[in-house]
Amino acid sequence: RKAPKLHGSDYKACTVLSMLHTVGHVAAVVAMSAGAVSFTHIIKALEPLFSVIFGAVINGSMDPLRVNIWLGPIIAGVAWAAVGSKLVAGDNILADINPIAFAGAMTSNMAFSLRGILSKRYKAETNAENLTSANLYSIMTLLSFILFLPFALVLEGGKLANEWPPVEKLSTIPDKIMGISTFSSTSTQYLSELTLWTGLYYYMYNEMAYLVLGEVSATAQAVANTVKRVVILLATVAFLGESMDMHKAIGSFVAIASTMMYSIAKSKK
């Protein structure tokens, strides 16, 4: 694809978007590491609400109630898929609440919602050449790497150097990864191969999200990102052999069905 040609003001706008991109990802990682994954997914499922609020504040407009009302069951479905089994079993889900995880997930929601809304506005106003959604995400990723690299080196560089290579848990090298044959013969090579595949897939799925953002509203993209959590749950069942109990199935069905109703309502707006 053709490289984008940016002007002076474009670098400032892309830097702001990259800062939001960095904060959103770092806050999400902090939330996942500080608290229960299920709790973090519940808070992250609130992202569409932030998109609605920020969209109203920044753009002065929002979808009608008959569209936004479907955000409720979407969020509820994701939440039930995450903790429904615990609630029915009588477990105290409040014990999973961690203030750091809560703050991280909420910060991530705000950063990603603002990133989506401001990206749409920037794409509509810029005169930059060849600035497709995919190219915009590429620029944001590069700037985000440059912005965060000094912090990563200061905070984690010493730990990584002291424990390099971190391969103590990679003593067994499988023949295949997700059906693709491995090429590694040592643990260090396997670490590099895992890092390569993880980075590739992570970048591809995020770029696809930005391609979607280029075609729909920021709120609709946030809805898709929320339902993505149900898809991940289904993927763990299909590929990792995790169990699918009735509560996960009910939550998944509600979230997916509500997303379909949201899409139908939005198409008739």
Side-chain angles (χ1 to χ4, degrees), residues 67-79:
V67 175
N68 287 332
I69 197 172
W70 291 106
L71 298 178
I74 291 172
I75 294 169
V78 174

Side-chain angles (χ1 to χ4, degrees), residues 235-246:
T236 61
V237 173
F239 295 103
L240 302 181
E242 292 194 9
S243 61
M244 168 63 85
D245 59 32
M246 180 181 65

Side-chain angles (χ1 to χ4, degrees), residues 177-207:
I177 302 175
M178 298 289 290
I180 301 175
S181 299
T182 55
F183 302 99
S184 306
S185 58
T186 66
S187 296
T188 303
Q189 291 176 353
Y190 183 46
L191 172 65
S192 300
E193 189 171 350
L194 281 177
T195 303
L196 176 63
W197 282 116
T198 302
L200 176 63
Y201 284 126
Y202 190 72
Y203 181 86
M204 288 174 62
Y205 110 73
N206 275 288
E207 183 174 288

Side-chain angles (χ1 to χ4, degrees), residues 115-124 213-218:
R115 183 194 66 173
I117 293 169
L118 294 179
S119 292
K120 292 286 290 186
R121 170 178 281 193
Y122 169 58
K123 282 286 300 299
L213 180 62
E215 302 298 326
V216 301
S217 69

Side-chain angles (χ1 to χ4, degrees), residues 105-121:
M106 292 293 280
T107 300
S108 179
N109 283 339
M110 289 187 287
F112 282 151
S113 298
L114 285 171
R115 183 194 66 173
I117 293 169
L118 294 179
S119 292
K120 292 286 290 186
R121 170 178 281 193

